[in-house]
Amino acid sequence: MNSSEFLIEGPVEPSYILNLEMSQDLCIFREPPKQQKALAEIAGSDDGMVYLIRDNNTIIGYVTFHNPDKYSRWSNHPGIMELGAIEVSPNYRGHKLGSRLLEYAFANPIMEEKIVITIEFCWHWDLDNTGLDIWKYQKMLSKLFGSVGLVRIPTDDPEILEHIANVLMARFGSNVSEEDLKKFEEMQFCGGSIFNYK
């Protein structure tokens, strides 16, 4: 299997997503047909972007970006965009497709205007197919997201604190203002700020 034969593209349109096949083992978040529909909905939203990896006419991986959930504290910051989900078919792992997909997505100039966060909940992790324990999987994800500049961020967000393995990571675009950085810092801890960006 030659990984150079796989096509990485995006942001893609909803109709494009729906006209492709969905690999049947992309099922970490939802059953494949439902996940394909969810990808199309994200791509069609005002704030959404979807990037794909495909093998011929079949989606074998994807990453999504959108505004934070309206019920989360991060939705109160207009400069934040959330990396919502990334998944690569188990049959295609071992070719660094996840890091290649992220590298492609973060080459989009819009990323330099945004604070991109990702909230990693351990109950979504594919421990069965990887054979990794929860801490090795966490380390693998931190390395993957770190490859495009995301760093682990301390916070008292209750959703993150719900499990000790959960992780908040963020990347600060080169054109993000000092005001937006300060606002993000203030949101990390409801009671104050302890993170230094510089």
XYZ file of all heavy atoms in Angstrom, residues 69-134:
542
model
N -18.920 24.124 20.865
C -20.305 23.899 21.275
C -20.830 25.121 22.029
O -20.137 25.689 22.882
C -20.365 22.663 22.188
C -21.787 22.298 22.562
O -22.348 22.971 23.458
O -22.347 21.356 21.971
N -22.058 25.522 21.715
C -22.614 26.751 22.290
C -22.767 26.689 23.805
O -22.915 27.724 24.460
C -23.946 27.092 21.634
C -25.042 26.070 21.874
C -26.328 26.490 21.166
C -27.455 25.493 21.387
N -28.699 25.908 20.698
N -22.744 25.478 24.354
C -22.878 25.342 25.803
C -21.532 25.325 26.519
O -21.479 25.284 27.743
C -23.661 24.067 26.142
C -25.074 24.080 25.614
C -25.452 23.259 24.564
C -26.029 24.945 26.153
C -26.752 23.274 24.065
C -27.325 24.969 25.665
C -27.680 24.133 24.615
O -28.958 24.164 24.128
N -20.437 25.340 25.776
C -19.114 25.319 26.405
C -18.624 26.742 26.653
O -19.048 27.686 25.983
C -18.107 24.572 25.527
O -17.632 25.403 24.487
N -17.715 26.898 27.587
C -17.178 28.228 27.887
C -16.440 28.816 26.699
O -16.387 30.028 26.507
C -16.249 28.173 29.103
C -14.945 27.454 28.857
C -13.964 27.605 30.025
N -14.478 26.996 31.244
C -13.768 26.885 32.373
N -12.536 27.365 32.424
N -14.274 26.318 33.437
N -15.867 27.939 25.852
C -15.029 28.398 24.738
C -15.855 29.078 23.657
O -15.308 29.827 22.840
C -14.239 27.219 24.174
C -13.593 26.418 25.258
C -13.945 25.166 25.687
C -12.505 26.827 26.096
N -13.146 24.772 26.735
C -12.263 25.778 27.013
C -11.734 27.985 26.172
C -11.257 25.841 27.980
C -10.737 28.056 27.137
C -10.508 26.995 28.022
N -17.161 28.852 23.655
C -18.021 29.493 22.650
C -18.136 30.994 22.888
O -18.599 31.730 22.008
C -19.412 28.858 22.656
O -20.074 29.123 23.884
N -17.713 31.450 24.061
C -17.796 32.877 24.370
C -16.634 33.675 23.781
O -16.558 34.889 23.968
C -17.825 33.073 25.895
C -19.078 32.495 26.512
O -20.169 32.687 25.991
N -18.930 31.768 27.617
N -15.729 32.993 23.092
C -14.571 33.653 22.478
C -14.737 33.584 20.959
O -14.683 32.507 20.366
C -13.290 32.931 22.904
C -12.037 33.678 22.602
N -11.776 34.246 21.366
C -10.953 33.946 23.375
C -10.599 34.827 21.397
N -10.076 34.667 22.599
N -14.919 34.718 20.289
C -15.165 34.700 18.839
C -13.962 34.271 18.007
O -14.122 33.940 16.828
C -15.538 36.159 18.536
C -14.884 36.956 19.622
C -14.957 36.092 20.846
N -12.785 34.254 18.608
C -11.584 33.892 17.855
C -11.204 32.432 17.948
O -10.174 32.019 17.403
N -12.040 31.616 18.619
C -11.716 30.204 18.806
C -12.420 29.348 17.759
O -13.600 29.518 17.481
C -12.108 29.727 20.218
C -11.164 30.335 21.259
C -12.069 28.198 20.313
C -11.470 29.913 22.684
N -11.665 28.422 17.193
C -12.219 27.388 16.319
C -11.804 26.034 16.915
O -10.675 25.879 17.382
C -11.665 27.534 14.893
C -12.151 26.468 13.931
S -11.795 26.914 12.190
C -10.023 27.150 12.218
N -12.727 25.093 16.902
C -12.452 23.788 17.495
C -12.170 22.729 16.435
O -12.894 22.612 15.444
C -13.641 23.334 18.348
C -13.384 22.013 19.070
C -14.488 21.644 20.041
O -15.332 22.504 20.357
O -14.498 20.470 20.491
N -11.093 22.008 16.639
C -10.839 20.796 15.877
C -11.704 19.734 16.531
O -11.419 19.277 17.630
C -9.353 20.441 15.927
C -8.812 19.341 15.010
C -7.277 19.375 14.985
C -9.278 17.955 15.407
N -12.780 19.365 15.849
C -13.791 18.550 16.502
C -13.520 17.062 16.503
O -13.734 16.380 17.492
N -13.060 16.526 15.382
C -12.844 15.078 15.289
C -11.819 14.783 14.213
O -11.748 15.479 13.193
C -14.158 14.364 14.962
N -11.036 13.758 14.452
C -10.138 13.229 13.435
C -10.209 11.713 13.533
O -10.240 11.152 14.637
C -8.687 13.737 13.600
C -7.803 13.215 12.458
C -8.127 13.406 14.967
C -6.439 13.876 12.403
N -10.279 11.065 12.383
C -10.382 9.609 12.357
C -9.762 9.100 11.062
O -9.960 9.676 9.999
C -11.848 9.174 12.448
C -12.046 7.674 12.577
C -13.506 7.272 12.721
O -14.413 8.135 12.565
O -13.751 6.080 12.966
N -8.986 8.035 11.180
C -8.403 7.350 10.020
C -8.780 5.877 10.107
O -8.724 5.278 11.187
C -6.870 7.512 9.972
C -6.269 6.679 8.838
C -6.482 8.976 9.792
N -9.178 5.309 8.986
C -9.549 3.895 8.945
C -8.446 3.019 9.509
O -7.279 3.185 9.161
C -9.835 3.490 7.496
O -9.832 2.083 7.363
N -8.782 2.069 10.403
C -7.762 1.168 10.955
C -6.968 0.430 9.880
O -5.792 0.131 10.074
C -8.592 0.188 11.800
C -9.823 0.946 12.157
C -10.114 1.823 10.982
N -7.581 0.156 8.747
C -6.894 -0.566 7.672
C -5.836 0.266 6.972
O -5.045 -0.268 6.182
C -7.914 -1.052 6.635
C -8.794 -2.153 7.166
O -8.383 -2.961 7.995
N -10.047 -2.185 6.715
N -5.819 1.573 7.242
C -4.875 2.467 6.568
C -3.915 3.134 7.551
O -3.196 4.053 7.179
C -5.635 3.538 5.784
C -6.379 3.012 4.586
C -7.658 2.464 4.724
C -5.819 3.052 3.311
C -8.355 1.980 3.635
C -6.504 2.571 2.212
C -7.773 2.034 2.379
O -8.452 1.556 1.283
N -3.902 2.675 8.777
C -3.010 3.272 9.757
C -1.580 2.782 9.556
O -1.342 1.772 8.926
C -3.512 2.974 11.176
C -4.816 3.709 11.471
C -5.377 3.377 12.821
N -6.703 3.996 12.995
C -7.542 3.698 13.962
N -7.212 2.806 14.875
N -8.725 4.294 14.033
N -0.648 3.534 10.110
C 0.760 3.185 9.954
C 1.435 3.913 8.807
O 2.610 3.674 8.512
N 0.711 4.820 8.143
C 1.269 5.581 7.024
C 1.347 7.074 7.332
O 1.520 7.875 6.410
C 0.408 5.369 5.777
C 0.370 3.958 5.300
N 1.401 3.379 4.586
C -0.571 2.986 5.447
C 1.089 2.124 4.296
N -0.091 1.863 4.819
N 1.162 7.430 8.617
C 1.196 8.838 9.038
C 0.143 9.678 8.317
O 0.338 10.864 8.057
C 2.601 9.436 8.833
C 3.681 8.732 9.647
C 4.981 9.477 9.598
C 6.058 8.771 10.401
N 5.738 8.675 11.838
N -0.984 9.061 7.983
C -2.035 9.789 7.278
C -2.672 10.860 8.169
O -3.073 11.919 7.685
C -3.095 8.819 6.763
C -2.640 7.852 5.664
C -3.799 6.954 5.227
C -2.073 8.602 4.473
N -2.772 10.578 9.468
C -3.335 11.566 10.379
C -2.502 12.834 10.412
O -3.040 13.946 10.323
N -1.190 12.692 10.519
C -0.326 13.875 10.560
C -0.299 14.580 9.217
O -0.261 15.816 9.151
C 1.090 13.494 11.002
O 1.649 12.515 10.151
N -0.367 13.836 8.129
C -0.412 14.460 6.804
C -1.711 15.236 6.604
O -1.726 16.324 6.027
C -0.263 13.400 5.708
C 1.145 12.854 5.560
C 1.222 11.764 4.515
N 0.632 12.180 3.250
C 0.293 11.347 2.274
N 0.456 10.034 2.434
N -0.216 11.794 1.148
N -2.799 14.683 7.101
C -4.096 15.346 7.009
C -4.083 16.654 7.794
O -4.542 17.701 7.305
C -5.188 14.411 7.525
C -6.633 14.916 7.519
C -7.096 15.261 6.114
C -7.546 13.856 8.135
N -3.546 16.622 9.009
C -3.469 17.831 9.822
C -2.549 18.870 9.193
O -2.863 20.067 9.186
C -2.985 17.488 11.234
C -3.978 16.748 12.127
C -3.314 16.359 13.440
C -5.211 17.598 12.401
N -1.422 18.423 8.674
C -0.488 19.347 8.032
C -1.168 20.079 6.868
O -1.009 21.290 6.693
C 0.738 18.584 7.533
C 1.801 19.461 6.889
C 3.001 18.669 6.413
O 2.993 17.418 6.535
O 3.949 19.302 5.902
N -1.937 19.336 6.096
C -2.658 19.925 4.961
C -3.693 20.941 5.454
O -3.779 22.060 4.937
C -3.342 18.820 4.164
C -4.044 19.292 2.915
C -3.394 19.292 1.688
C -5.371 19.735 2.963
C -4.041 19.727 0.538
C -6.020 20.179 1.820
C -5.352 20.170 0.607
O -5.991 20.615 -0.515
N -4.464 20.562 6.471
C -5.516 21.448 6.972
C -4.939 22.727 7.563
O -5.472 23.831 7.349
C -6.364 20.717 8.010
N -3.844 22.601 8.295
C -3.275 23.773 8.959
C -2.454 24.649 8.022
O -1.982 25.714 8.434
C -2.462 23.355 10.185
C -3.319 23.137 11.404
C -3.874 21.897 11.665
C -3.602 24.178 12.272
C -4.687 21.690 12.765
C -4.408 23.990 13.375
C -4.955 22.741 13.630
N -2.313 24.235 6.780
C -1.696 25.107 5.775
C -2.682 26.165 5.290
O -2.287 27.132 4.634
C -1.194 24.275 4.590
N -3.967 26.006 5.617
C -4.979 26.999 5.269
C -4.682 28.300 6.032
O -4.579 28.287 7.260
C -6.367 26.470 5.644
C -7.495 27.370 5.191
O -7.342 28.577 5.034
N -8.667 26.784 4.992
N -4.545 29.429 5.332
C -4.203 30.692 6.008
C -5.168 31.095 7.113
O -4.775 31.826 8.033
C -4.226 31.714 4.863
C -3.962 30.921 3.625
C -4.618 29.594 3.864
N -6.419 30.625 7.078
C -7.382 30.995 8.119
C -6.907 30.531 9.489
O -7.248 31.134 10.513
C -8.785 30.393 7.807
C -9.861 30.981 8.740
C -8.784 28.875 7.937
C -10.088 32.453 8.600
N -6.077 29.484 9.525
C -5.602 28.962 10.805
C -4.727 29.970 11.540
O -4.602 29.916 12.764
C -4.835 27.656 10.597
C -5.653 26.549 9.974
S -7.122 26.136 10.938
C -7.702 24.679 10.074
N -4.092 30.880 10.800
C -3.244 31.886 11.435
C -4.054 33.014 12.062
O -3.523 33.841 12.795
C -2.249 32.448 10.424
C -1.319 31.402 9.823
C -0.626 30.553 10.873
O -0.242 31.098 11.938
O -0.490 29.330 10.643
N -5.358 33.045 11.762
C -6.237 34.067 12.336
C -6.962 33.562 13.572
O -7.687 34.329 14.210
C -7.295 34.498 11.297
C -6.748 34.848 9.925
C -5.842 36.064 9.960
O -6.083 36.959 10.796
O -4.882 36.098 9.151
N -6.796 32.292 13.902
C -7.616 31.641 14.920
C -6.793 31.042 16.048
O -5.619 30.687 15.883
C -8.437 30.515 14.272
C -9.444 30.964 13.228
C -10.630 31.684 13.870
C -11.715 32.005 12.850
N -12.893 32.625 13.494
N -7.458 30.904 17.188
C -6.991 30.010 18.245
C -7.729 28.703 18.007
O -8.962 28.649 18.099
C -7.317 30.567 19.643
C -6.621 31.905 19.875
C -6.912 29.554 20.725
C -7.071 32.621 21.137
N -6.998 27.667 17.648
C -7.621 26.369 17.375
C -7.448 25.491 18.607
O -6.318 25.283 19.078
C -6.985 25.687 16.146
C -7.638 24.324 15.913
C -7.147 26.563 14.905
N -8.559 25.011 19.128
C -8.495 24.112 20.280
C -8.973 22.721 19.866
O -9.715 22.565 18.898
C -9.338 24.616 21.469
C -10.839 24.619 21.124
C -8.868 25.987 21.927
C -11.749 24.830 22.338
N -8.521 21.740 20.597
C -9.114 20.406 20.492
C -9.289 19.872 21.903
O -8.410 20.030 22.758
C -8.277 19.448 19.633
O -8.981 18.203 19.502
C -6.895 19.193 20.209
N -10.443 19.307 22.158
C -10.774 18.746 23.462
C -10.838 17.235 23.298
O -11.733 16.721 22.626
C -12.109 19.304 23.989
C -12.037 20.837 24.078
C -12.442 18.689 25.344
C -13.353 21.506 24.424
N -9.870 16.561 23.871
C -9.757 15.116 23.696
C -10.393 14.393 24.875
O -9.859 14.426 25.982
C -8.287 14.722 23.535
C -7.670 15.223 22.238
C -8.464 14.787 21.027
O -8.833 13.601 20.949
O -8.741 15.636 20.163
N -11.536 13.763 24.608
C -12.224 12.973 25.628
C -11.832 11.509 25.472
O -11.994 10.931 24.390
C -13.739 13.120 25.485
C -14.236 14.516 25.733
C -14.957 15.195 24.761
C -13.993 15.144 26.946
C -15.431 16.480 24.998
C -14.458 16.431 27.193
C -15.175 17.099 26.224
N -11.354 10.898 26.529
C -10.796 9.557 26.428
C -11.838 8.507 26.043
O -11.485 7.448 25.522
C -10.091 9.167 27.728
S -11.162 9.123 29.192
N -13.119 8.798 26.260
C -14.144 7.800 25.900
C -14.362 7.705 24.397
O -15.076 6.827 23.937
C -15.451 8.068 26.636
C -15.891 9.497 26.669
C -16.609 10.176 25.734
C -15.645 10.430 27.731
N -16.813 11.471 26.139
C -16.244 11.666 27.355
C -14.971 10.348 28.963
C -16.192 12.802 28.167
C -14.926 11.483 29.759
C -15.527 12.677 29.361
N -13.741 8.599 23.626
C -13.810 8.502 22.166
C -12.605 7.769 21.574
O -12.560 7.553 20.361
C -13.866 9.898 21.529
C -15.189 10.572 21.709
N -15.329 11.950 21.724
C -16.433 10.073 21.887
C -16.597 12.259 21.899
N -17.285 11.140 22.005
N -11.639 7.403 22.389
C -10.385 6.877 21.868
C -10.518 5.430 21.427
O -11.199 4.614 22.068
C -9.286 7.018 22.919
C -8.993 8.446 23.249
C -9.465 9.550 22.599
C -8.178 8.924 24.318
N -8.980 10.688 23.195
C -8.201 10.346 24.249
C -7.436 8.301 25.322
C -7.485 11.137 25.158
C -6.729 9.081 26.219
C -6.763 10.491 26.133
N -9.833 5.111 20.344
C -9.924 3.776 19.730
C -8.882 2.835 20.339
O -7.940 2.399 19.679
C -9.726 3.903 18.215
C -10.031 2.602 17.488
O -10.606 1.692 18.113
O -9.691 2.509 16.298
N -9.084 2.513 21.604
C -8.120 1.673 22.311
C -8.104 0.247 21.770
O -7.057 -0.393 21.699
C -8.425 1.667 23.815
C -8.460 3.043 24.510
C -8.795 2.863 25.977
C -7.140 3.767 24.342
N -9.264 -0.256 21.361
C -9.361 -1.650 20.907
C -8.541 -1.893 19.647
O -7.772 -2.865 19.567
C -10.822 -2.027 20.656
C -11.632 -2.093 21.933
O -11.023 -2.261 23.010
O -12.865 -1.972 21.861
N -8.696 -1.029 18.645
C -8.007 -1.244 17.376
C -6.519 -0.936 17.430
O -5.741 -1.470 16.643
C -8.655 -0.409 16.261
C -9.921 -1.049 15.735
O -9.973 -2.252 15.501
N -10.960 -0.252 15.546
N -6.121 -0.057 18.357
C -4.701 0.304 18.432
C -3.919 -0.595 19.382
O -2.705 -0.720 19.248
C -4.534 1.760 18.900
O -5.126 1.897 20.212
C -5.204 2.719 17.940
N -4.607 -1.178 20.356
C -3.906 -1.993 21.347
C -3.172 -1.165 22.389
O -2.421 -1.704 23.206
N -3.395 0.154 22.374
C -2.728 1.034 23.331
C -3.565 1.173 24.598
O -4.786 1.094 24.546
C -2.531 2.417 22.716
C -1.668 2.504 21.455
C -1.660 3.937 20.923
C -0.244 2.033 21.724
N -2.878 1.377 25.736
C -3.633 1.712 26.933
C -3.933 3.207 26.907
O -3.490 3.944 26.020
C -2.895 1.289 28.209
C -1.587 2.049 28.433
O -1.464 3.212 27.987
O -0.682 1.493 29.059
N -4.699 3.666 27.868
C -5.217 5.024 27.820
C -4.107 6.073 27.843
O -4.188 7.115 27.176
C -6.236 5.227 28.970
C -7.110 6.442 28.711
C -5.539 5.317 30.315
C -8.302 6.526 29.642
